[in-house]
Amino acid sequence: MGEQPLYDLAPLLELMALGALIALAPLLWVWRRNRGAGSARRLQALGLLTLFLTFDLVMFGAFTRLTDSGLGCPDWPGCYGNASPLGASHEIAMAEAAMPTGPVTLSKAWVEMIHRYLATMVGVLIIALTVLAWREHRQAPLRGARHPAWATFTLFWVLVQGAFGALTVTMKLFPAIVTLHLLGGLFLLVLLCVQAVGHQQAVLQQPPAPISRPLRNALWAVFSLLFIQVTLGGWVSTNYAVLACSTFPDCNGSWWPEMNFAQAADIWRPLGLLSDGTTISFAALTAIHYIHRLAAYAVIAAVLLLVYALRKQPALTSQRKWLLGLIALQFATGLSNVVLDWPLLAAVLHTGGAAALVTVMTWALAATRTRSALALQEDHNAPHGARSIAA
């Protein structure tokens, strides 16, 4: 049997049709629940549901990676040129007989293909979101609603994500590509969250909450720290360095274990190797793990300080509670990954907690503006005569 090509577009139309079929369920749910409402309300509901399902997709992507199912089908977009593992049962059986533990097994093939089905479904929902956003904008735009260019860029970004998903397979879990795929998924959550908040504010005619400039800057600072920390965490996961430190709070019995930072910073290389083709050292994996752990202490402190600063902001009470709960979840699951030998549930929840933290921080930023920015916006929206009188 010849070698399977990395790209086989034969099942592409079938996969697109299957994704559209799966997307019908959430689309019909939104339509039925909002039959008596206007198109703006339907847009709000679809945006929120798409955000929720994209978060589920990120979680399932983590499950796919953590169960070593990323190469469950060695080609893209199908499985041995088929739209499902059912049509590839012979090829999968041969691969499993040659290597019983993978990377290709029947269960891993199904996990990988379900991930692709869900990704296609999200793509269809974002297409629907884009069409509905432009339709609403042209017919009866609501004050405060996000411009449909946001939805158009989101559609572009989901195509970029699809490309990274393909490269994840064809480049054999190249750590930098897999990490970028994870970050791209989180950025997709950011884009959808900004739109969901904007649609809700427009439908409810609820302006952004006014906050001080220092607090707004603090939100941006913590958001930036979180994204850096998620990048470091993705680098740990995609290099399988979670167990490089087997003790806590120290690392392998030392507060400063042997580490190779130069190898840890070697970014563009295959999994398990350095860019020169030699095997990556355990000291490099230790450095990758320990940098993430040390940065986690700074992020926890920053989030707790932000939670304290938000105590007098009634408009951000929900975000404050979520941040407090999620940072506790992240500490607990991160600790569990080390002391309990990387249990699957804790590992998936750790990725989900990171995604949720980024989403909540986006929610807080999208729901607020500085008082000076709101004053300028109100002045801009006022009739020309009123502005002249105010001046």
Side-chain angles (χ1 to χ4, degrees):
M1 185 173 63
E3 184 178 348
Q4 176 64 30
L6 295 177
Y7 292 99
D8 190 339
L9 300 181
L12 183 59
L13 291 178
E14 291 179 69
L15 286 170
M16 293 172 65
L18 183 58
L21 185 63
I22 298 172
L24 276 178
L27 287 171
L28 287 173
W29 184 82
V30 168
W31 181 78
R32 286 182 63 85
R33 281 186 62 90
N34 299 276
R35 276 183 296 180
S39 57
R41 182 68 183 84
R42 287 194 293 272
L43 179 61
Q44 177 201 9
L46 180 59
L48 190 59
L49 182 61
T50 303
L51 172 63
F52 174 76
L53 292 175
T54 303
F55 182 85
D56 292 343
L57 175 62
V58 171
M59 291 281 285
F60 197 84
F63 177 79
T64 302
R65 182 177 71 257
L66 293 164
T67 55
D68 295 324
S69 303
L71 297 178
C73 290
D75 55 326
W76 187 91
C79 194
Y80 289 98
N82 295 274
S84 87
L86 293 176
S89 56
H90 175 67
E91 291 86 350
I92 294 172
M94 291 185 63
E96 194 167 0
M99 295 183 65
T101 60
V104 177
T105 66
L106 184 59
S107 61
K108 291 179 180 180
W110 271 112
V111 170
E112 171 64 7
M113 287 308 298
I114 290 173
H115 178 58
R116 296 182 193 180
Y117 300 152
L118 294 177
T120 308
M121 174 200 69
V122 166
V124 172
L125 291 177
I126 290 175
I127 291 173
L129 192 66
T130 304
V131 171
L132 191 57
W134 277 107
R135 180 183 175 188
E136 175 66 20
H137 180 72
R138 288 170 178 167
Q139 290 183 348
L142 289 177
R143 180 181 176 183
R146 300 294 177 188
H147 193 278
W150 277 88
T152 303
F153 182 75
T154 305
L155 178 57
F156 162 77
W157 190 256
V158 84
L159 296 176
V160 173
Q161 268 297 90
F164 274 116
L167 290 172
T168 295
V169 175
T170 59
M171 294 184 70
K172 308 299 182 185
L173 304 183
F174 212 77
I177 294 295
V178 180
T179 302
L180 287 172
H181 190 47
L182 170 63
L183 295 178
L186 296 187
F187 186 58
L188 185 59
L189 287 176
V190 168
L191 292 172
L192 290 169
C193 184
V194 169
Q195 293 170 77
V197 173
H199 297 325
Q200 180 175 3
Q201 289 177 337
V203 168
L204 300 178
Q205 288 298 289
Q206 181 183 53
I211 61 174
S212 66
R213 171 70 65 181
L215 184 56
R216 178 81 173 172
N217 291 340
L219 287 171
W220 274 113
V222 173
F223 180 84
S224 301
L225 283 175
L226 274 174
F227 233 98
I228 293 171
Q229 177 66 352
V230 169
T231 303
L232 293 174
W235 195 235
V236 171
S237 180
T238 56
N239 281 282
Y240 296 88
V242 174
L243 299 179
C245 287
S246 58
T247 58
F248 182 88
D250 60 4
C251 177
N252 302 329
S254 172
W255 290 104
W256 195 255
E258 180 186 355
M259 293 180 280
N260 190 320
F261 293 103
Q263 290 187 7
D266 190 354
I267 304 299
W268 199 252
R269 54 176 177 74
L271 178 62
L273 301 175
L274 298 172
S275 53
D276 62 4
T278 59
T279 302
I280 190 170
S281 67
F282 185 77
L285 298 179
T286 303
I288 291 171
H289 178 114
Y290 210 49
I291 290 170
H292 176 61
R293 187 189 293 188
L294 293 176
Y297 300 140
V299 172
I300 290 172
V303 171
L304 291 178
L305 287 172
L306 180 63
V307 167
Y308 180 77
L310 293 176
R311 71 194 188 284
K312 295 183 180 179
Q313 297 292 328
L316 296 177
T317 298
S318 296
Q319 292 92 324
R320 181 175 180 268
K321 292 178 179 178
W322 273 106
L323 287 173
L324 190 59
L326 287 170
I327 204 65
L329 173 69
Q330 285 302 90
F331 180 80
T333 53
L335 179 61
S336 298
N337 284 334
V338 175
V339 300
L340 298 180
D341 199 25
W342 204 12
L344 179 60
L345 178 60
V348 173
L349 285 176
H350 197 59
T351 299
L357 277 169
V358 170
T359 304
V360 171
M361 286 302 305
T362 304
W363 176 20
L365 284 163
T368 58
R369 295 289 186 278
T370 61
R371 294 182 178 90
S372 58
L374 285 173
L376 286 173
Q377 182 177 344
E378 290 175 1
D379 183 61
H380 175 76
N381 292 332
H384 178 72
R387 288 201 299 269
S388 300
I389 293 172

